[in-house]
Amino acid sequence: MKIPGKELIPYWLGEKLRGAWQRYLSLKYKGTDYHCPYCGNSFKKFLPGGTDLPVLTEKMIIGGGFRDNLLCPRCFSVDRDRLIYLYLKEKTNIFSARLKILHIAPEGCIRSLLMSLPNTDYHSGVKYFEGYYYDRKVKLIDVTSLQFESESFDVVICNHVLEHVHDDQKALEEIHRILKPNGWAILQVPISDKLGETEYDPSISTPEDREKIYGQHDHVRIYGQDYPKFLERNGFKVVQYSPFHDSPQETVKKFALNPKEKLFVAYKV
Ligand SMILES: [Zn+2]
C-alpha cells in the first residue's frame, strides 16, 4: 500500500504510529457485519480506500479504483488479500502440508499469517521499499532474476506485482523455474474487464503519464482479457477462482469481496 510522505518518518516511529492508529480505528469501527480473517476482528464496516481516477472506470479495472468498504481497520488487509485467504483456506492444503513458500512484495497480513504456520518454510522479498510499507526484515529480491534454485518452491504468492514489472515475461519464466512440478502460484493483477488485449507502451514513462493511462504512478501496463493466455503460454495451467460461485455467500459478504474479482492461480505443468 502506498503511503504518501511515509519516507519522511523514521521506521520505528512509523511502526508505533501505525499500531496506535490501527488500535484506535478497530475500536471505532467495531461491529458484527464484516470480518477480517487475518486479524480475526469484526467491524460494522471496513474503511474506504483506493483512487478514483477516470481511467480505472473507463477501462473497468477490476482490483483498482475507489471502494467504500475496502481496508480492515486493524490490519489493513484489502479485498484481494481476503480473497486470497478464502482460496487458501478452501482450496489448498497450505494450513497443514509442509510447503516451501516464496511471497513476493509481501502484504503484511498475508506474511504474518504464513509466518505463523508451523508447517511452512516461508521466504519473502521485494525489489523496492520506497513509498511502500514493508517490514524491514523482508529481503531485497528481483522477480526477473530470482536467486533461488530451480524447482525449489511449492508455492509462490505474487499479488499485484507483475503490472509493475517491465519484463513480465522474464518474471513468469523465473516463477515457473523455481516452482517444483505441480507447484502453484497466485499471480493476481489488476485486470481490465473491457480490454481484450493487454496495453503496454514503454514510452509511457513518467509517474504522471502512468497514473493517467494505467491508473497508478508506478504501473507499466494494464492487463486485458488475454492475461490467462499469457500465463498458459508460459507453461501454466490457469485456474480462475470466483468466490461468488465457489464459496459460501455469507463468507463472501462478511469479507466484503469485489463481486467481479476472480483470483488467477497458475499451476506448473
Ligand atoms: Zn484485519
Side-chain angles (χ1 to χ4, degrees):
M1 180 176 56
K2 177 93 173 117
I3 302 175
K6 180 194 158 291
E7 58 278 5
L8 304 175
I9 302 171
Y11 181 72
W12 65 269
L13 181 58
E15 282 276 272
K16 281 191 184 301
L17 290 172
R18 180 182 160 99
W21 182 237
Q22 287 172 315
R23 283 192 293 280
Y24 163 73
L25 288 174
S26 63
L27 286 173
K28 184 179 175 188
Y29 284 85
K30 192 175 170 62
T32 56
D33 289 346
Y34 295 95
H35 181 73
C36 173
Y38 289 103
C39 63
N41 290 295
S42 295
F43 305 99
K44 55 189 172 193
K45 81 181 282 300
F46 290 124
L47 302 172
T51 50
D52 198 13
L53 295 167
V55 64
L56 298 171
T57 310
E58 180 201 317
K59 292 181 178 167
M60 301 167 69
I61 308 297
I62 301 167
F66 177 83
R67 278 92 92 203
D68 187 46
N69 211 10
L70 178 67
L71 274 168
C72 169
R74 186 70 183 89
C75 73
F76 288 174
S77 74
V78 297
D79 48 8
R80 61 176 176 262
D81 303 329
R82 297 187 291 273
L83 172 62
I84 287 175
Y85 180 93
L86 203 53
Y87 183 81
L88 295 177
K89 185 75 178 170
E90 296 209 341
K91 305 292 181 186
T92 78
N93 58 359
I94 207 166
F95 289 88
S96 57
R98 294 200 70 78
L99 297 173
K100 187 172 178 182
I101 301 168
L102 177 63
H103 188 184
I104 299 168
E107 299 81 1
C109 56
I110 302 175
R111 183 171 184 267
S112 297
L113 170 74
L114 295 179
M115 285 181 76
S116 74
L117 299 176
N119 53 295
T120 59
D121 178 9
Y122 176 84
H123 302 256
S124 64
V126 67
K127 189 168 183 185
Y128 302 112
F129 282 93
E130 296 78 19
Y132 288 86
Y133 183 86
Y134 292 110
D135 190 307
R136 285 299 189 266
K137 294 190 191 80
V138 173
K139 293 177 181 162
L140 285 172
I141 62 169
D142 179 350
V143 70
T144 64
S145 179
L146 293 170
Q147 303 301 301
F148 299 106
E149 285 182 24
S150 298
E151 302 192 349
S152 57
F153 284 88
D154 300 284
V155 177
V156 171
I157 298 177
C158 185
N159 184 25
H160 279 230
V161 172
L162 294 175
E163 70 275 15
H164 297 258
V165 180
H166 277 290
D167 197 349
D168 59 348
Q169 171 74 41
K170 187 73 169 69
L172 269 196
E173 287 169 12
E174 279 292 84
I175 291 168
H176 191 275
R177 178 183 67 76
I178 65 162
L179 277 172
K180 296 176 187 174
N182 302 316
W184 50 273
I186 289 176
L187 300 175
Q188 194 68 347
V189 293
I191 188 165
S192 168
D193 209 16
K194 187 175 179 183
L195 297 174
E197 291 183 8
T198 295
E199 284 187 355
Y200 172 69
D201 179 354
S203 72
I204 297 166
S205 56
T206 66
E208 294 77 19
D209 283 349
R210 285 174 176 167
E211 184 171 276
K212 187 176 163 196
I213 295 165
Y214 297 139
Q216 190 167 309
H217 69 100
D218 54 356
H219 285 184
V220 301
R221 68 175 60 74
I222 292 179
Y223 286 102
Q225 295 298 307
D226 56 351
Y227 179 62
K229 294 271 180 235
F230 170 55
L231 303 181
E232 286 167 4
R233 278 201 308 276
N234 284 279
F236 290 105
K237 179 182 168 219
V238 179
V239 170
Q240 297 187 43
Y241 168 69
S242 173
F244 279 77
H245 295 110
D246 300 340
S247 293
Q249 294 310 291
E250 182 63 17
T251 310
V252 170
K253 194 164 163 258
K254 285 241 170 200
F255 287 8
L257 301 184
N258 180 343
K260 289 196 162 183
E261 187 161 28
K262 296 174 188 167
L263 189 69
F264 292 94
V265 188
Y267 286 78
K268 180 171 178 174
V269 291

